[in-house]
Amino acid sequence: MELLEKAQEFIGRKMSNMSTSDRVEASREAKALILSINEIYKETKDSSLMDVMKDVTVKKKKIEKRLNGVPLV
């Protein structure tokens, strides 16, 4: 279950003082983690995997919100 360890490390990582390229890299890492955990979840239906995926998704959305910026409307 090293995927869960990677996910927990990602969730606990500080996101302040990141450059744009760091944010892009973190967003891609989050996407890869979510997809790989999802593959395992499909087979096992373990609710703890779903909780980890939700936590990583929340962090990913925060990163992407900062990347995309605030709409000008």
Side-chain angles (χ1 to χ4, degrees):
M1 284 292 169
E2 71 179 49
L3 272 177
L4 293 178
E5 292 171 8
K6 284 183 182 179
Q8 292 300 330
E9 186 269 328
F10 180 81
I11 292 168
R13 192 182 304 164
K14 296 283 185 190
M15 293 295 164
S16 60
N17 298 325
M18 290 181 81
S19 67
T20 302
S21 60
D22 291 341
R23 284 190 184 91
V24 169
E25 187 178 322
S27 177
R28 289 177 181 164
E29 180 183 353
K31 181 179 180 181
L33 280 171
I34 292 167
L35 292 176
S36 57
I37 293 172
N38 190 36
E39 289 300 316
I40 297 170
Y41 176 77
K42 286 179 186 177
E43 298 169 4
T44 62
K45 302 291 185 195
D46 185 7
S47 63
S48 66
L49 290 176
M50 181 58 78
D51 294 337
V52 171
M53 279 195 298
K54 287 179 182 177
D55 292 341
V56 173
T57 302
V58 167
K59 188 108 175 183
K60 181 178 181 283
K61 285 184 178 182
K62 287 181 183 178
I63 294 169
E64 289 181 345
K65 185 188 302 183
R66 180 65 191 249
L67 271 174
N68 296 335
V70 178
L72 298 175
V73 176

